[in-house]
Amino acid sequence: MDDILREGDPVLRSVAEPVKLPLSSEDRETLECMMQFLKNSQDPEMSAKYKLRSGVGLSANQIGVLKRMFVMFSNDEKGRIVEHAWVNPKIISHSLSMVYLPESEGCLSVDRPVQGFVPRYESVKVKGYNQDGKEVTMKFKGYQAIIIQHEMDHLDGVMFYDRINEENPFKLPQGVDIRSLYDQKK
Ligand code: CO
């Protein structure tokens, strides 16, 4: 956890630079380390041993590497593992409908609890490169789409709480089809 930058560090507020392709072996190793961190953080034994906070996404600038790349590791609603490294990702299209996590979002760079709703697109289509430098286009929805938008924000120096309504943290945007991630679609 000591290698993870915390809020207040200017690197987290900087816009990350595009990664040069083909991917250097150093960048590839960085992605592998980041992915290993997420896996360890979700492993009860490892996380207890190294006092890790559990995370499902990590962007390179969170470890001080100002490059446009991030990793994600979690399970989808059917329990399947979703494991991806993204290099120079772009959201090329998204739903109009939005979702939010009722418990708000968490971040390895934020040690305090933050309350409030963070509006996110319900689904996003992402185009970028994987850890082998191969071009990839994939669609994600629900929780995975939230992770992607949270990590993509990091690459632009945006923190999740920037998107919470300042006056009322539980106020949702008006004129938008938005629901809790756990509510059934109408
Ligand atoms: Co974060």
PDB file of all heavy atoms in Angstrom, residues 94-101 105 117-124 141-143 145-146 149 153 163 172-186:
ATOM      1  N   HIS A  94     -21.354   5.005 -25.377  1.00  0.00           N
ATOM      2  CA  HIS A  94     -21.907   4.653 -24.070  1.00  0.00           C
ATOM      3  C   HIS A  94     -23.422   4.742 -24.120  1.00  0.00           C
ATOM      4  O   HIS A  94     -23.999   5.382 -25.011  1.00  0.00           O
ATOM      5  CB  HIS A  94     -21.348   5.566 -22.977  1.00  0.00           C
ATOM      6  CG  HIS A  94     -21.651   7.020 -23.175  1.00  0.00           C
ATOM      7  ND1 HIS A  94     -22.893   7.557 -22.914  1.00  0.00           N
ATOM      8  CD2 HIS A  94     -20.885   8.047 -23.623  1.00  0.00           C
ATOM      9  CE1 HIS A  94     -22.875   8.854 -23.184  1.00  0.00           C
ATOM     10  NE2 HIS A  94     -21.672   9.178 -23.627  1.00  0.00           N
ATOM     11  N   SER A  95     -24.068   4.114 -23.127  1.00  0.00           N
ATOM     12  CA  SER A  95     -25.524   4.172 -23.026  1.00  0.00           C
ATOM     13  C   SER A  95     -25.934   5.580 -22.615  1.00  0.00           C
ATOM     14  O   SER A  95     -25.114   6.347 -22.097  1.00  0.00           O
ATOM     15  CB  SER A  95     -25.983   3.177 -21.960  1.00  0.00           C
ATOM     16  OG  SER A  95     -25.413   3.526 -20.710  1.00  0.00           O
ATOM     17  N   LEU A  96     -27.206   5.903 -22.814  1.00  0.00           N
ATOM     18  CA  LEU A  96     -27.729   7.155 -22.258  1.00  0.00           C
ATOM     19  C   LEU A  96     -28.103   6.927 -20.804  1.00  0.00           C
ATOM     20  O   LEU A  96     -28.001   7.821 -19.970  1.00  0.00           O
ATOM     21  CB  LEU A  96     -28.955   7.618 -23.059  1.00  0.00           C
ATOM     22  CG  LEU A  96     -28.647   8.104 -24.483  1.00  0.00           C
ATOM     23  CD1 LEU A  96     -29.936   8.473 -25.205  1.00  0.00           C
ATOM     24  CD2 LEU A  96     -27.702   9.306 -24.449  1.00  0.00           C
ATOM     25  N   SER A  97     -28.558   5.703 -20.495  1.00  0.00           N
ATOM     26  CA  SER A  97     -28.953   5.394 -19.122  1.00  0.00           C
ATOM     27  C   SER A  97     -27.721   5.338 -18.220  1.00  0.00           C
ATOM     28  O   SER A  97     -26.617   5.005 -18.664  1.00  0.00           O
ATOM     29  CB  SER A  97     -29.695   4.065 -19.082  1.00  0.00           C
ATOM     30  OG  SER A  97     -28.895   3.058 -19.657  1.00  0.00           O
ATOM     31  N   MET A  98     -27.963   5.693 -16.952  1.00  0.00           N
ATOM     32  CA  MET A  98     -26.864   5.736 -15.999  1.00  0.00           C
ATOM     33  C   MET A  98     -27.191   4.899 -14.765  1.00  0.00           C
ATOM     34  O   MET A  98     -28.352   4.559 -14.516  1.00  0.00           O
ATOM     35  CB  MET A  98     -26.572   7.187 -15.582  1.00  0.00           C
ATOM     36  CG  MET A  98     -26.217   8.086 -16.765  1.00  0.00           C
ATOM     37  SD  MET A  98     -25.737   9.750 -16.263  1.00  0.00           S
ATOM     38  CE  MET A  98     -23.964   9.549 -16.088  1.00  0.00           C
ATOM     39  N   VAL A  99     -26.164   4.552 -14.017  1.00  0.00           N
ATOM     40  CA  VAL A  99     -26.312   3.823 -12.756  1.00  0.00           C
ATOM     41  C   VAL A  99     -25.390   4.466 -11.718  1.00  0.00           C
ATOM     42  O   VAL A  99     -24.502   5.249 -12.061  1.00  0.00           O
ATOM     43  CB  VAL A  99     -25.949   2.318 -12.898  1.00  0.00           C
ATOM     44  CG1 VAL A  99     -26.998   1.577 -13.708  1.00  0.00           C
ATOM     45  CG2 VAL A  99     -24.564   2.130 -13.514  1.00  0.00           C
ATOM     46  N   TYR A 100     -25.636   4.123 -10.461  1.00  0.00           N
ATOM     47  CA  TYR A 100     -24.723   4.545  -9.394  1.00  0.00           C
ATOM     48  C   TYR A 100     -24.664   3.451  -8.352  1.00  0.00           C
ATOM     49  O   TYR A 100     -25.595   2.644  -8.218  1.00  0.00           O
ATOM     50  CB  TYR A 100     -25.182   5.870  -8.751  1.00  0.00           C
ATOM     51  CG  TYR A 100     -26.545   5.786  -8.116  1.00  0.00           C
ATOM     52  CD1 TYR A 100     -26.702   5.414  -6.782  1.00  0.00           C
ATOM     53  CD2 TYR A 100     -27.693   6.052  -8.863  1.00  0.00           C
ATOM     54  CE1 TYR A 100     -27.961   5.320  -6.204  1.00  0.00           C
ATOM     55  CE2 TYR A 100     -28.947   5.959  -8.294  1.00  0.00           C
ATOM     56  CZ  TYR A 100     -29.078   5.593  -6.957  1.00  0.00           C
ATOM     57  OH  TYR A 100     -30.323   5.486  -6.398  1.00  0.00           O
ATOM     58  N   LEU A 101     -23.584   3.401  -7.613  1.00  0.00           N
ATOM     59  CA  LEU A 101     -23.452   2.461  -6.506  1.00  0.00           C
ATOM     60  C   LEU A 101     -24.058   3.129  -5.270  1.00  0.00           C
ATOM     61  O   LEU A 101     -23.564   4.179  -4.852  1.00  0.00           O
ATOM     62  CB  LEU A 101     -21.977   2.145  -6.241  1.00  0.00           C
ATOM     63  CG  LEU A 101     -21.297   1.158  -7.181  1.00  0.00           C
ATOM     64  CD1 LEU A 101     -19.787   1.145  -6.925  1.00  0.00           C
ATOM     65  CD2 LEU A 101     -21.859  -0.246  -6.971  1.00  0.00           C
ATOM     66  N   GLU A 105     -18.593   5.064  -4.200  1.00  0.00           N
ATOM     67  CA  GLU A 105     -17.429   4.344  -4.733  1.00  0.00           C
ATOM     68  C   GLU A 105     -16.290   4.414  -3.736  1.00  0.00           C
ATOM     69  O   GLU A 105     -16.285   5.264  -2.842  1.00  0.00           O
ATOM     70  CB  GLU A 105     -17.014   4.959  -6.079  1.00  0.00           C
ATOM     71  CG  GLU A 105     -18.081   4.741  -7.138  1.00  0.00           C
ATOM     72  CD  GLU A 105     -17.686   5.249  -8.524  1.00  0.00           C
ATOM     73  OE1 GLU A 105     -16.509   5.540  -8.764  1.00  0.00           O
ATOM     74  OE2 GLU A 105     -18.602   5.350  -9.368  1.00  0.00           O
ATOM     75  N   PHE A 117     -23.651   9.771  -4.313  1.00  0.00           N
ATOM     76  CA  PHE A 117     -23.853   9.008  -5.537  1.00  0.00           C
ATOM     77  C   PHE A 117     -22.977   9.544  -6.663  1.00  0.00           C
ATOM     78  O   PHE A 117     -22.922  10.744  -6.903  1.00  0.00           O
ATOM     79  CB  PHE A 117     -25.323   9.071  -5.964  1.00  0.00           C
ATOM     80  CG  PHE A 117     -26.277   8.477  -4.949  1.00  0.00           C
ATOM     81  CD1 PHE A 117     -27.575   8.940  -4.843  1.00  0.00           C
ATOM     82  CD2 PHE A 117     -25.864   7.443  -4.102  1.00  0.00           C
ATOM     83  CE1 PHE A 117     -28.458   8.387  -3.920  1.00  0.00           C
ATOM     84  CE2 PHE A 117     -26.741   6.883  -3.177  1.00  0.00           C
ATOM     85  CZ  PHE A 117     -28.034   7.360  -3.073  1.00  0.00           C
ATOM     86  N   VAL A 118     -22.314   8.626  -7.347  1.00  0.00           N
ATOM     87  CA  VAL A 118     -21.468   8.977  -8.484  1.00  0.00           C
ATOM     88  C   VAL A 118     -22.174   8.473  -9.750  1.00  0.00           C
ATOM     89  O   VAL A 118     -22.202   7.263  -9.993  1.00  0.00           O
ATOM     90  CB  VAL A 118     -20.075   8.310  -8.368  1.00  0.00           C
ATOM     91  CG1 VAL A 118     -19.165   8.769  -9.505  1.00  0.00           C
ATOM     92  CG2 VAL A 118     -19.435   8.585  -7.010  1.00  0.00           C
ATOM     93  N   PRO A 119     -22.765   9.357 -10.546  1.00  0.00           N
ATOM     94  CA  PRO A 119     -23.458   8.892 -11.749  1.00  0.00           C
ATOM     95  C   PRO A 119     -22.461   8.359 -12.788  1.00  0.00           C
ATOM     96  O   PRO A 119     -21.465   9.015 -13.085  1.00  0.00           O
ATOM     97  CB  PRO A 119     -24.169  10.146 -12.283  1.00  0.00           C
ATOM     98  CG  PRO A 119     -23.969  11.216 -11.262  1.00  0.00           C
ATOM     99  CD  PRO A 119     -22.799  10.825 -10.417  1.00  0.00           C
ATOM    100  N   ARG A 120     -22.759   7.168 -13.291  1.00  0.00           N
ATOM    101  CA  ARG A 120     -21.909   6.542 -14.327  1.00  0.00           C
ATOM    102  C   ARG A 120     -22.794   6.008 -15.436  1.00  0.00           C
ATOM    103  O   ARG A 120     -23.929   5.586 -15.171  1.00  0.00           O
ATOM    104  CB  ARG A 120     -21.124   5.355 -13.733  1.00  0.00           C
ATOM    105  CG  ARG A 120     -20.224   5.678 -12.562  1.00  0.00           C
ATOM    106  CD  ARG A 120     -19.036   6.496 -12.984  1.00  0.00           C
ATOM    107  NE  ARG A 120     -18.019   6.579 -11.914  1.00  0.00           N
ATOM    108  CZ  ARG A 120     -16.939   7.354 -12.003  1.00  0.00           C
ATOM    109  NH1 ARG A 120     -16.736   8.095 -13.085  1.00  0.00           N
ATOM    110  NH2 ARG A 120     -16.072   7.399 -11.015  1.00  0.00           N
ATOM    111  N   TYR A 121     -22.260   5.948 -16.652  1.00  0.00           N
ATOM    112  CA  TYR A 121     -23.020   5.322 -17.736  1.00  0.00           C
ATOM    113  C   TYR A 121     -23.213   3.842 -17.414  1.00  0.00           C
ATOM    114  O   TYR A 121     -22.296   3.185 -16.908  1.00  0.00           O
ATOM    115  CB  TYR A 121     -22.297   5.477 -19.071  1.00  0.00           C
ATOM    116  CG  TYR A 121     -22.146   6.918 -19.472  1.00  0.00           C
ATOM    117  CD1 TYR A 121     -20.893   7.500 -19.631  1.00  0.00           C
ATOM    118  CD2 TYR A 121     -23.285   7.708 -19.666  1.00  0.00           C
ATOM    119  CE1 TYR A 121     -20.761   8.831 -19.979  1.00  0.00           C
ATOM    120  CE2 TYR A 121     -23.161   9.044 -20.014  1.00  0.00           C
ATOM    121  CZ  TYR A 121     -21.901   9.603 -20.158  1.00  0.00           C
ATOM    122  OH  TYR A 121     -21.771  10.919 -20.485  1.00  0.00           O
ATOM    123  N   GLU A 122     -24.386   3.352 -17.755  1.00  0.00           N
ATOM    124  CA  GLU A 122     -24.698   1.954 -17.452  1.00  0.00           C
ATOM    125  C   GLU A 122     -23.855   0.995 -18.290  1.00  0.00           C
ATOM    126  O   GLU A 122     -23.480  -0.079 -17.836  1.00  0.00           O
ATOM    127  CB  GLU A 122     -26.188   1.696 -17.695  1.00  0.00           C
ATOM    128  CG  GLU A 122     -26.631   0.322 -17.277  1.00  0.00           C
ATOM    129  CD  GLU A 122     -28.123   0.098 -17.470  1.00  0.00           C
ATOM    130  OE1 GLU A 122     -28.778   0.918 -18.153  1.00  0.00           O
ATOM    131  OE2 GLU A 122     -28.617  -0.897 -16.948  1.00  0.00           O
ATOM    132  N   SER A 123     -23.569   1.388 -19.519  1.00  0.00           N
ATOM    133  CA  SER A 123     -22.678   0.555 -20.327  1.00  0.00           C
ATOM    134  C   SER A 123     -21.748   1.435 -21.153  1.00  0.00           C
ATOM    135  O   SER A 123     -22.110   2.556 -21.515  1.00  0.00           O
ATOM    136  CB  SER A 123     -23.479  -0.407 -21.219  1.00  0.00           C
ATOM    137  OG  SER A 123     -24.224   0.313 -22.163  1.00  0.00           O
ATOM    138  N   VAL A 124     -20.572   0.909 -21.379  1.00  0.00           N
ATOM    139  CA  VAL A 124     -19.566   1.644 -22.162  1.00  0.00           C
ATOM    140  C   VAL A 124     -18.878   0.675 -23.128  1.00  0.00           C
ATOM    141  O   VAL A 124     -18.714  -0.511 -22.829  1.00  0.00           O
ATOM    142  CB  VAL A 124     -18.471   2.302 -21.271  1.00  0.00           C
ATOM    143  CG1 VAL A 124     -19.041   3.440 -20.449  1.00  0.00           C
ATOM    144  CG2 VAL A 124     -17.767   1.289 -20.382  1.00  0.00           C
ATOM    145  N   LYS A 141     -20.864  -3.583 -18.950  1.00  0.00           N
ATOM    146  CA  LYS A 141     -22.034  -2.943 -18.344  1.00  0.00           C
ATOM    147  C   LYS A 141     -21.999  -3.124 -16.828  1.00  0.00           C
ATOM    148  O   LYS A 141     -21.237  -3.944 -16.307  1.00  0.00           O
ATOM    149  CB  LYS A 141     -23.327  -3.494 -18.944  1.00  0.00           C
ATOM    150  CG  LYS A 141     -23.582  -4.967 -18.706  1.00  0.00           C
ATOM    151  CD  LYS A 141     -24.965  -5.305 -19.268  1.00  0.00           C
ATOM    152  CE  LYS A 141     -25.274  -6.792 -19.359  1.00  0.00           C
ATOM    153  NZ  LYS A 141     -25.096  -7.610 -18.186  1.00  0.00           N
ATOM    154  N   GLY A 142     -22.853  -2.355 -16.157  1.00  0.00           N
ATOM    155  CA  GLY A 142     -22.996  -2.476 -14.715  1.00  0.00           C
ATOM    156  C   GLY A 142     -21.707  -2.187 -13.963  1.00  0.00           C
ATOM    157  O   GLY A 142     -21.030  -1.194 -14.225  1.00  0.00           O
ATOM    158  N   TYR A 143     -21.388  -3.080 -13.030  1.00  0.00           N
ATOM    159  CA  TYR A 143     -20.247  -2.858 -12.141  1.00  0.00           C
ATOM    160  C   TYR A 143     -18.935  -2.666 -12.922  1.00  0.00           C
ATOM    161  O   TYR A 143     -18.139  -1.784 -12.618  1.00  0.00           O
ATOM    162  CB  TYR A 143     -20.136  -4.059 -11.192  1.00  0.00           C
ATOM    163  CG  TYR A 143     -19.159  -3.865 -10.052  1.00  0.00           C
ATOM    164  CD1 TYR A 143     -19.230  -2.732  -9.243  1.00  0.00           C
ATOM    165  CD2 TYR A 143     -18.193  -4.825  -9.779  1.00  0.00           C
ATOM    166  CE1 TYR A 143     -18.339  -2.551  -8.194  1.00  0.00           C
ATOM    167  CE2 TYR A 143     -17.304  -4.654  -8.732  1.00  0.00           C
ATOM    168  CZ  TYR A 143     -17.376  -3.522  -7.937  1.00  0.00           C
ATOM    169  OH  TYR A 143     -16.496  -3.349  -6.907  1.00  0.00           O
ATOM    170  N   ALA A 145     -18.574  -1.553 -15.932  1.00  0.00           N
ATOM    171  CA  ALA A 145     -18.599  -0.243 -16.611  1.00  0.00           C
ATOM    172  C   ALA A 145     -18.250   0.863 -15.613  1.00  0.00           C
ATOM    173  O   ALA A 145     -17.574   1.838 -15.961  1.00  0.00           O
ATOM    174  CB  ALA A 145     -19.982   0.002 -17.226  1.00  0.00           C
ATOM    175  N   ILE A 146     -18.695   0.698 -14.371  1.00  0.00           N
ATOM    176  CA  ILE A 146     -18.371   1.685 -13.321  1.00  0.00           C
ATOM    177  C   ILE A 146     -16.862   1.675 -13.054  1.00  0.00           C
ATOM    178  O   ILE A 146     -16.221   2.734 -12.979  1.00  0.00           O
ATOM    179  CB  ILE A 146     -19.166   1.382 -12.022  1.00  0.00           C
ATOM    180  CG1 ILE A 146     -20.656   1.651 -12.244  1.00  0.00           C
ATOM    181  CG2 ILE A 146     -18.629   2.224 -10.853  1.00  0.00           C
ATOM    182  CD1 ILE A 146     -21.559   1.244 -11.073  1.00  0.00           C
ATOM    183  N   GLN A 149     -15.033   3.495 -15.886  1.00  0.00           N
ATOM    184  CA  GLN A 149     -15.176   4.959 -15.859  1.00  0.00           C
ATOM    185  C   GLN A 149     -14.402   5.565 -14.691  1.00  0.00           C
ATOM    186  O   GLN A 149     -13.814   6.643 -14.809  1.00  0.00           O
ATOM    187  CB  GLN A 149     -16.658   5.330 -15.804  1.00  0.00           C
ATOM    188  CG  GLN A 149     -17.379   4.998 -17.114  1.00  0.00           C
ATOM    189  CD  GLN A 149     -18.890   5.056 -16.975  1.00  0.00           C
ATOM    190  OE1 GLN A 149     -19.485   6.121 -17.074  1.00  0.00           O
ATOM    191  NE2 GLN A 149     -19.527   3.908 -16.746  1.00  0.00           N
ATOM    192  N   ASP A 153     -11.245   8.034 -15.379  1.00  0.00           N
ATOM    193  CA  ASP A 153     -11.197   9.346 -14.722  1.00  0.00           C
ATOM    194  C   ASP A 153      -9.811   9.596 -14.127  1.00  0.00           C
ATOM    195  O   ASP A 153      -9.269  10.692 -14.249  1.00  0.00           O
ATOM    196  CB  ASP A 153     -12.247   9.429 -13.602  1.00  0.00           C
ATOM    197  CG  ASP A 153     -13.606   9.932 -14.095  1.00  0.00           C
ATOM    198  OD1 ASP A 153     -13.697  10.368 -15.260  1.00  0.00           O
ATOM    199  OD2 ASP A 153     -14.563   9.895 -13.305  1.00  0.00           O
ATOM    200  N   ARG A 163     -17.492  13.956  -9.044  1.00  0.00           N
ATOM    201  CA  ARG A 163     -18.762  13.765  -9.749  1.00  0.00           C
ATOM    202  C   ARG A 163     -19.962  13.710  -8.809  1.00  0.00           C
ATOM    203  O   ARG A 163     -21.096  13.518  -9.252  1.00  0.00           O
ATOM    204  CB  ARG A 163     -18.708  12.477 -10.586  1.00  0.00           C
ATOM    205  CG  ARG A 163     -17.647  12.538 -11.673  1.00  0.00           C
ATOM    206  CD  ARG A 163     -17.767  11.378 -12.626  1.00  0.00           C
ATOM    207  NE  ARG A 163     -16.745  11.419 -13.661  1.00  0.00           N
ATOM    208  CZ  ARG A 163     -16.832  12.141 -14.778  1.00  0.00           C
ATOM    209  NH1 ARG A 163     -17.910  12.869 -15.003  1.00  0.00           N
ATOM    210  NH2 ARG A 163     -15.851  12.117 -15.658  1.00  0.00           N
ATOM    211  N   LEU A 172     -29.448  13.163  -7.561  1.00  0.00           N
ATOM    212  CA  LEU A 172     -29.106  12.564  -8.855  1.00  0.00           C
ATOM    213  C   LEU A 172     -29.312  13.588  -9.957  1.00  0.00           C
ATOM    214  O   LEU A 172     -30.109  14.519  -9.803  1.00  0.00           O
ATOM    215  CB  LEU A 172     -29.991  11.337  -9.090  1.00  0.00           C
ATOM    216  CG  LEU A 172     -29.724  10.191  -8.104  1.00  0.00           C
ATOM    217  CD1 LEU A 172     -30.793   9.115  -8.236  1.00  0.00           C
ATOM    218  CD2 LEU A 172     -28.340   9.595  -8.324  1.00  0.00           C
ATOM    219  N   PRO A 173     -28.594  13.438 -11.077  1.00  0.00           N
ATOM    220  CA  PRO A 173     -28.778  14.387 -12.170  1.00  0.00           C
ATOM    221  C   PRO A 173     -30.216  14.350 -12.686  1.00  0.00           C
ATOM    222  O   PRO A 173     -30.847  13.295 -12.702  1.00  0.00           O
ATOM    223  CB  PRO A 173     -27.772  13.905 -13.231  1.00  0.00           C
ATOM    224  CG  PRO A 173     -27.377  12.529 -12.832  1.00  0.00           C
ATOM    225  CD  PRO A 173     -27.593  12.416 -11.355  1.00  0.00           C
ATOM    226  N   GLN A 174     -30.689  15.522 -13.077  1.00  0.00           N
ATOM    227  CA  GLN A 174     -32.081  15.641 -13.538  1.00  0.00           C
ATOM    228  C   GLN A 174     -32.170  15.302 -15.030  1.00  0.00           C
ATOM    229  O   GLN A 174     -31.218  15.502 -15.773  1.00  0.00           O
ATOM    230  CB  GLN A 174     -32.581  17.074 -13.329  1.00  0.00           C
ATOM    231  CG  GLN A 174     -32.522  17.534 -11.877  1.00  0.00           C
ATOM    232  CD  GLN A 174     -33.432  16.723 -10.975  1.00  0.00           C
ATOM    233  OE1 GLN A 174     -34.642  16.767 -11.127  1.00  0.00           O
ATOM    234  NE2 GLN A 174     -32.869  15.948 -10.058  1.00  0.00           N
ATOM    235  N   GLY A 175     -33.329  14.802 -15.403  1.00  0.00           N
ATOM    236  CA  GLY A 175     -33.583  14.547 -16.820  1.00  0.00           C
ATOM    237  C   GLY A 175     -32.761  13.393 -17.389  1.00  0.00           C
ATOM    238  O   GLY A 175     -32.534  13.315 -18.586  1.00  0.00           O
ATOM    239  N   VAL A 176     -32.300  12.506 -16.493  1.00  0.00           N
ATOM    240  CA  VAL A 176     -31.478  11.377 -16.923  1.00  0.00           C
ATOM    241  C   VAL A 176     -32.120  10.094 -16.403  1.00  0.00           C
ATOM    242  O   VAL A 176     -32.660  10.060 -15.295  1.00  0.00           O
ATOM    243  CB  VAL A 176     -30.041  11.502 -16.334  1.00  0.00           C
ATOM    244  CG1 VAL A 176     -29.208  10.278 -16.688  1.00  0.00           C
ATOM    245  CG2 VAL A 176     -29.351  12.767 -16.803  1.00  0.00           C
ATOM    246  N   ASP A 177     -32.072   9.052 -17.209  1.00  0.00           N
ATOM    247  CA  ASP A 177     -32.549   7.741 -16.783  1.00  0.00           C
ATOM    248  C   ASP A 177     -31.453   7.131 -15.904  1.00  0.00           C
ATOM    249  O   ASP A 177     -30.446   6.636 -16.401  1.00  0.00           O
ATOM    250  CB  ASP A 177     -32.810   6.886 -18.048  1.00  0.00           C
ATOM    251  CG  ASP A 177     -33.107   5.431 -17.725  1.00  0.00           C
ATOM    252  OD1 ASP A 177     -33.378   5.122 -16.539  1.00  0.00           O
ATOM    253  OD2 ASP A 177     -33.069   4.610 -18.660  1.00  0.00           O
ATOM    254  N   ILE A 178     -31.632   7.210 -14.591  1.00  0.00           N
ATOM    255  CA  ILE A 178     -30.587   6.745 -13.673  1.00  0.00           C
ATOM    256  C   ILE A 178     -31.197   5.951 -12.523  1.00  0.00           C
ATOM    257  O   ILE A 178     -32.263   6.296 -12.014  1.00  0.00           O
ATOM    258  CB  ILE A 178     -29.727   7.931 -13.145  1.00  0.00           C
ATOM    259  CG1 ILE A 178     -28.594   7.409 -12.254  1.00  0.00           C
ATOM    260  CG2 ILE A 178     -30.563   9.008 -12.467  1.00  0.00           C
ATOM    261  CD1 ILE A 178     -27.489   8.431 -11.997  1.00  0.00           C
ATOM    262  N   ARG A 179     -30.534   4.839 -12.182  1.00  0.00           N
ATOM    263  CA  ARG A 179     -31.019   3.981 -11.092  1.00  0.00           C
ATOM    264  C   ARG A 179     -29.839   3.403 -10.340  1.00  0.00           C
ATOM    265  O   ARG A 179     -28.705   3.425 -10.837  1.00  0.00           O
ATOM    266  CB  ARG A 179     -31.889   2.853 -11.666  1.00  0.00           C
ATOM    267  CG  ARG A 179     -31.110   1.966 -12.617  1.00  0.00           C
ATOM    268  CD  ARG A 179     -31.961   0.851 -13.222  1.00  0.00           C
ATOM    269  NE  ARG A 179     -31.197   0.173 -14.263  1.00  0.00           N
ATOM    270  CZ  ARG A 179     -30.372  -0.857 -14.021  1.00  0.00           C
ATOM    271  NH1 ARG A 179     -30.232  -1.347 -12.831  1.00  0.00           N
ATOM    272  NH2 ARG A 179     -29.681  -1.387 -15.021  1.00  0.00           N
ATOM    273  N   SER A 180     -30.144   2.880  -9.145  1.00  0.00           N
ATOM    274  CA  SER A 180     -29.112   2.179  -8.374  1.00  0.00           C
ATOM    275  C   SER A 180     -28.675   0.942  -9.160  1.00  0.00           C
ATOM    276  O   SER A 180     -29.498   0.291  -9.814  1.00  0.00           O
ATOM    277  CB  SER A 180     -29.687   1.743  -7.023  1.00  0.00           C
ATOM    278  OG  SER A 180     -28.923   0.681  -6.493  1.00  0.00           O
ATOM    279  N   LEU A 181     -27.419   0.598  -9.078  1.00  0.00           N
ATOM    280  CA  LEU A 181     -26.925  -0.581  -9.790  1.00  0.00           C
ATOM    281  C   LEU A 181     -27.680  -1.837  -9.375  1.00  0.00           C
ATOM    282  O   LEU A 181     -27.814  -2.777 -10.162  1.00  0.00           O
ATOM    283  CB  LEU A 181     -25.421  -0.756  -9.517  1.00  0.00           C
ATOM    284  CG  LEU A 181     -24.752  -1.947 -10.184  1.00  0.00           C
ATOM    285  CD1 LEU A 181     -24.727  -1.778 -11.703  1.00  0.00           C
ATOM    286  CD2 LEU A 181     -23.338  -2.144  -9.675  1.00  0.00           C
ATOM    287  N   TYR A 182     -28.196  -1.858  -8.140  1.00  0.00           N
ATOM    288  CA  TYR A 182     -28.847  -3.063  -7.622  1.00  0.00           C
ATOM    289  C   TYR A 182     -30.345  -3.104  -7.874  1.00  0.00           C
ATOM    290  O   TYR A 182     -30.997  -4.073  -7.544  1.00  0.00           O
ATOM    291  CB  TYR A 182     -28.559  -3.213  -6.122  1.00  0.00           C
ATOM    292  CG  TYR A 182     -27.086  -3.118  -5.819  1.00  0.00           C
ATOM    293  CD1 TYR A 182     -26.616  -2.254  -4.835  1.00  0.00           C
ATOM    294  CD2 TYR A 182     -26.164  -3.885  -6.522  1.00  0.00           C
ATOM    295  CE1 TYR A 182     -25.254  -2.158  -4.552  1.00  0.00           C
ATOM    296  CE2 TYR A 182     -24.803  -3.784  -6.260  1.00  0.00           C
ATOM    297  CZ  TYR A 182     -24.352  -2.917  -5.279  1.00  0.00           C
ATOM    298  OH  TYR A 182     -23.029  -2.806  -5.008  1.00  0.00           O
ATOM    299  N   ASP A 183     -30.916  -2.025  -8.436  1.00  0.00           N
ATOM    300  CA  ASP A 183     -32.342  -2.036  -8.757  1.00  0.00           C
ATOM    301  C   ASP A 183     -32.535  -2.647 -10.139  1.00  0.00           C
ATOM    302  O   ASP A 183     -31.707  -2.429 -11.031  1.00  0.00           O
ATOM    303  CB  ASP A 183     -32.912  -0.608  -8.773  1.00  0.00           C
ATOM    304  CG  ASP A 183     -33.040  -0.070  -7.344  1.00  0.00           C
ATOM    305  OD1 ASP A 183     -32.911  -0.867  -6.401  1.00  0.00           O
ATOM    306  OD2 ASP A 183     -33.249   1.148  -7.207  1.00  0.00           O
ATOM    307  N   GLN A 184     -33.638  -3.349 -10.261  1.00  0.00           N
ATOM    308  CA  GLN A 184     -33.952  -3.945 -11.551  1.00  0.00           C
ATOM    309  C   GLN A 184     -34.243  -2.843 -12.564  1.00  0.00           C
ATOM    310  O   GLN A 184     -34.773  -1.789 -12.207  1.00  0.00           O
ATOM    311  CB  GLN A 184     -35.181  -4.860 -11.436  1.00  0.00           C
ATOM    312  CG  GLN A 184     -34.893  -6.136 -10.649  1.00  0.00           C
ATOM    313  CD  GLN A 184     -33.778  -6.965 -11.231  1.00  0.00           C
ATOM    314  OE1 GLN A 184     -33.774  -7.234 -12.425  1.00  0.00           O
ATOM    315  NE2 GLN A 184     -32.800  -7.354 -10.407  1.00  0.00           N
ATOM    316  N   LYS A 185     -33.922  -3.141 -13.785  1.00  0.00           N
ATOM    317  CA  LYS A 185     -34.239  -2.223 -14.882  1.00  0.00           C
ATOM    318  C   LYS A 185     -35.752  -2.094 -15.002  1.00  0.00           C
ATOM    319  O   LYS A 185     -36.464  -3.080 -14.897  1.00  0.00           O
ATOM    320  CB  LYS A 185     -33.671  -2.825 -16.183  1.00  0.00           C
ATOM    321  CG  LYS A 185     -33.033  -1.810 -17.062  1.00  0.00           C
ATOM    322  CD  LYS A 185     -32.375  -2.524 -18.232  1.00  0.00           C
ATOM    323  CE  LYS A 185     -31.417  -1.602 -18.933  1.00  0.00           C
ATOM    324  NZ  LYS A 185     -30.519  -2.323 -19.806  1.00  0.00           N
ATOM    325  N   LYS A 186     -36.227  -0.866 -15.198  1.00  0.00           N
ATOM    326  CA  LYS A 186     -37.673  -0.663 -15.349  1.00  0.00           C
ATOM    327  C   LYS A 186     -38.107  -1.119 -16.737  1.00  0.00           C
ATOM    328  O   LYS A 186     -37.356  -1.082 -17.663  1.00  0.00           O
ATOM    329  CB  LYS A 186     -38.024   0.809 -15.156  1.00  0.00           C
ATOM    330  CG  LYS A 186     -38.097   1.163 -13.684  1.00  0.00           C
ATOM    331  CD  LYS A 186     -38.357   2.683 -13.530  1.00  0.00           C
ATOM    332  CE  LYS A 186     -37.711   3.187 -12.260  1.00  0.00           C
ATOM    333  NZ  LYS A 186     -36.911   4.366 -12.477  1.00  0.00           N
TER     334      LYS A 186
END
